[in-house]
Amino acid sequence: MIARTWRGWVRSEDRADYVRYVEETGMAHYRRTPGNLAAHLLTHDLPDGRTEVLTFSLWTSEDAVRAFAGDDVTAAVLYPEDDRWLVDRESTVTHYDVHEPT
C-alpha cells in the first residue's frame, strides 16, 4: 500500500470555500480512481492568516497512483481553479510505503 501526500496554503478566510472546491475536484477524482483506498483532506490554521491544506490518500499500488497522476507520479495534480485559491503550494507530492502490522 502507498500513501500519497500534498500540501498547499490558502488564506484562512478562504478555507471553507477551498475545502468545498477540493472535495468537488481533487477528492472526487482520487476516490473514483480504481485502486484508491481512501482520500482525506486535512486543514490547519496558521498564526500568519494562512491555512495549511494537506491531502492524504491511500493506494493499492504505484500503478494505481499512476492511473490517477500520470506517468510522473511525483508531480502534484492541480485543477483549473487552484490558482484562484492557493497562496502557495508544493509542486511535488510525497509517497510513503505503508507497513501494516503482521
Side-chain angles (χ1 to χ4, degrees):
M1 184 179 345
I2 297 172
R4 177 182 170 97
T5 64
W6 171 86
R7 294 182 321 152
W9 294 265
V10 298
R11 289 178 299 280
S12 292
E13 68 246 25
D14 293 335
R15 177 181 35 138
D17 291 331
Y18 185 69
V19 165
R20 272 192 296 280
Y21 166 72
V22 171
E23 283 293 338
E24 294 170 359
T25 57
M27 294 292 101
H29 185 189
Y30 282 33
R31 292 175 184 135
R32 72 174 174 261
T33 303
N36 176 261
L37 300 171
H40 302 280
L41 181 65
L42 294 81
T43 61
H44 174 71
D45 290 338
L46 302 170
D48 65 1
R50 296 178 306 148
T51 295
E52 180 180 1
V53 177
L54 175 78
T55 62
F56 174 82
S57 54
L58 294 172
W59 301 87
T60 57
S61 66
E62 188 173 319
D63 287 337
V65 173
R66 190 170 285 105
F68 166 75
D71 287 334
D72 183 359
V73 297
T74 65
V77 175
L78 301 172
Y79 296 88
E81 294 291 317
D82 282 344
D83 286 339
R84 175 180 174 191
W85 304 107
L86 293 167
V87 295
D88 199 4
R89 69 179 137 219
E90 293 180 334
S91 60
T92 59
V93 299
T94 303
H95 292 112
Y96 301 88
D97 292 325
V98 177
H99 302 276
E100 297 188 66
T102 54

